[in-house]
Amino acid sequence: MSSDAGLDGRTPRRTFAIISHPDAGKTTLTEKLLLYGGAIHLAGSVRAARARRHATSDWMELEKQRGISITSSVLQFPYEGTRFNLLDTPGHQDFSEDTYRTLTAADSAVMLLDAAKGVEAQTRKLFEVCRLRKVPIATFINKLDRPGRDPFELLSEVENVLGIRCVPLQWPLGMGPDFKGVYERETGRVLLFTRAHDHGESAVAARALPLEDPQLPELVGEGLYRMFRDEVELLEGAGDSFSVEAFRAGAQTPVFFGSAMTNFGVEPFLRRFHRLAPEPLPRAGSRGLIATTDPAFTAFIFKVQANMDRAHRDRVAFLRVCSGRFQGGMWVRHVRLGREVRLSRPQQVFAQERTLVDEAWPGDVLGIFDPGMFRIGDTLCTGEPFEFDAVPRFSPEHFARLRPKDPSRRKQFVAGVSQLVEEGAVQLFTQPGNEQVPIVGVVGQLQFEVLEHRLKDEYGSEVLLETLPYSHARWVTGDGATLDALEGRGYGAGVLDRDKRLVVLFKSEWQLGVAERDNPKVTFQAIAPR
Ligand code: G4P
């Protein structure tokens, strides 16, 4: 991308993702971060690029029909000498494992909340994935320009529902039509914003005044000022002080307030996040932690996407560089296959537009052309072969039996299903005795539609989906974890995953709880063991 000019291996990287419930303002905030990073000049471009894509691309008809973004990509923007890699996660309500897995490539996350709604269902799920990996999370409470909930109440909701301590690094001055600015606790300054009348297309003007400045009451109104000072006093008197270590350990979340739409608070957030966001971190693998300074090139695949460009019918594997230097066309060890492979046609994917890249460094994410040899979790390296710890497979929550409508097209059906399983779009289970009719499991219901659509569109295979009443899958191990023992007792359906590991499908949390109580020696895992 042109905005990368001048950035090289010495440029610090910060690789992060935004987690939010649909409509909290992720697209808007992304746009504004790019605006402040100078990557785009007029906010509105991301949305416009999406609209353009819907208008011109025939890729993934379903996206077009629904007007949603199902796949993720990565956006880059420079800020104060740092290169930010923002992993874009699907923004639709119904989400897939893809979203989860994208988070495995991020070093930190921004949790975006709508001030009127607080913690919503999808925020919660994504938060749990971050917690699993101890990813540091900063919180941005958005839409302060609209009447919302009391900020103290929002903080206690985050603490109670998500179990993470909140430390506001800013405090809003007013809310709704009275939202005038934010108080930066670290600098003791109040930043007063002036609303522009260009729908937030350009950076907002801010005037910084010390908290004690005698002009403040007059500027914002006596009543509002008094209320704000009372809140600040309450804030100073209670609550934890901020600790970078606690943030990095995922125990505390620094909280920011603003309005992505009007740009209020976006720049102050970015300025502080720039200092807080962790640099690319060492990753665990079979030969211990791999330091980012390790001269050997190492990377792992976290996503495989087929048919991104229908004109070329290609597959793109997304990799995250963990150490060393990536160079276009380089030869690397593909550890699972046990041979050297050439990484050709490296690219960065900006929405639907791709740019070829010559080199990449730890923290960078890029898409490479995949002739069908990559799987999620694959390790690529130069130097001594080893494997990164597995990218977790998350427990599906929706299940269906799948068969071809036309049995004479079984070959296409099998080819299509295998491809989608390899991509990680769906998980496949078989029931002993009924191997011909696989059970597919997905994290979000929408994936069924994607599955049906892609099988028909890309493989000419129309399918019949018979949804099943299960909602929880658990990989079972330990004493007594046999198909007969578990299934015979009527807990749920015993099935095998594609690596022939035993999985029990339960209809409810209650049923799962009973099974766990009755079988203390059996371990029930929501994430597939290695
Ligand atoms: P998402 O990607 O998280 O789904 O959210 P998106 O940015 O698309 O924002 C969802 C809606 O919320 C949009 O309105 C957007 O303009 C609005 N929004 C985002 N940030 C703010 C904010 O800070 N304040 C206010 N008041 N609204 C905000 P829409 O009506 O659905 O779309 P549009 O017509 O504005 O494009």
Side-chain angles (χ1 to χ4, degrees), residues 131-363:
R131 165 143 50 209
L132 200 71
R133 289 193 48 241
K134 297 199 169 56
V135 174
I137 300 171
T139 301
F140 186 93
I141 300 187
N142 192 27
K143 305 198 186 181
L144 265 284
D145 61 295
R146 283 214 304 229
R149 287 164 53 189
D150 173 59
F152 285 109
E153 189 191 308
L154 286 166
L155 300 184
S156 58
E157 181 171 284
V158 171
E159 297 198 337
N160 295 334
V161 176
L162 303 177
I164 188 167
R165 304 291 296 173
C166 289
V167 185
L169 298 187
Q170 298 175 339
W171 197 255
L173 201 175
M175 187 183 262
D178 288 333
F179 182 40
K180 307 276 189 210
V182 292
Y183 165 52
E184 273 187 334
R185 295 176 72 193
E186 185 188 32
T187 60
R189 299 182 314 169
V190 175
L191 304 172
L192 292 181
F193 304 114
T194 314
R195 203 183 266 249
H197 294 284
D198 62 354
H199 303 286
E201 284 184 3
S202 52
V204 69
R207 178 173 173 197
L209 297 170
L211 181 63
E212 304 297 340
D213 195 301
Q215 298 174 74
L216 263 179
E218 200 184 314
L219 287 170
V220 304
E222 189 70 46
L224 189 64
Y225 178 74
R226 221 172 303 121
M227 203 167 76
F228 162 70
R229 288 304 301 254
D230 286 349
E231 288 175 353
V232 169
E233 205 170 305
L234 198 62
L235 195 65
E236 303 299 350
D240 304 347
S241 52
F242 180 63
S243 141
V244 176
E245 293 72 39
F247 161 65
R248 296 243 172 150
Q252 259 189 7
T253 179
V255 182
F256 300 82
F257 296 86
S259 153
M261 192 178 76
T262 59
N263 300 342
F264 285 23
V266 174
E267 222 268 326
F269 160 71
L270 182 57
R271 206 180 328 117
R272 191 70 197 269
F273 185 62
H274 175 227
R275 281 165 43 211
L276 286 176
E279 63 288 349
L281 301 171
R283 293 237 154 200
S286 56
R287 60 175 164 88
L289 280 183
I290 306 294
T292 51
T293 48
D294 194 318
F297 166 79
T298 64
F300 69 92
I301 306 282
F302 65 94
K303 176 181 152 81
V304 176
Q305 177 72 58
N307 304 328
M308 280 187 81
D309 182 345
R310 289 295 290 284
H312 300 101
R313 282 200 83 82
D314 58 359
R315 253 167 64 132
V316 174
F318 288 83
L319 62 81
R320 148 126 191 174
V321 181
C322 298
S323 69
R325 175 186 179 198
F326 170 90
Q327 282 174 288
M330 77 191 293
W331 286 88
V332 299
R333 184 92 183 154
H334 186 314
V335 181
R336 181 176 54 83
L337 297 183
R339 63 181 169 91
E340 307 295 308
V341 299
R342 186 156 190 258
L343 301 181
S344 45
R345 285 167 60 183
Q347 47 192 244
Q348 272 157 359
V349 183
F350 178 78
Q352 221 30 33
E353 290 146 32
R354 305 178 188 189
T355 336
L356 292 183
V357 288
D358 293 329
E359 56 172 30
W361 298 90

Side-chain angles (χ1 to χ4, degrees), residues 20-28 47 91 142-143 145-146 259-261:
S20 63
H21 194 80
D23 271 348
K26 190 165 61 123
T27 310
T28 313
R47 207 177 287 276
N142 192 27
K143 305 198 186 181
D145 61 295
R146 283 214 304 229
S259 153
M261 192 178 76

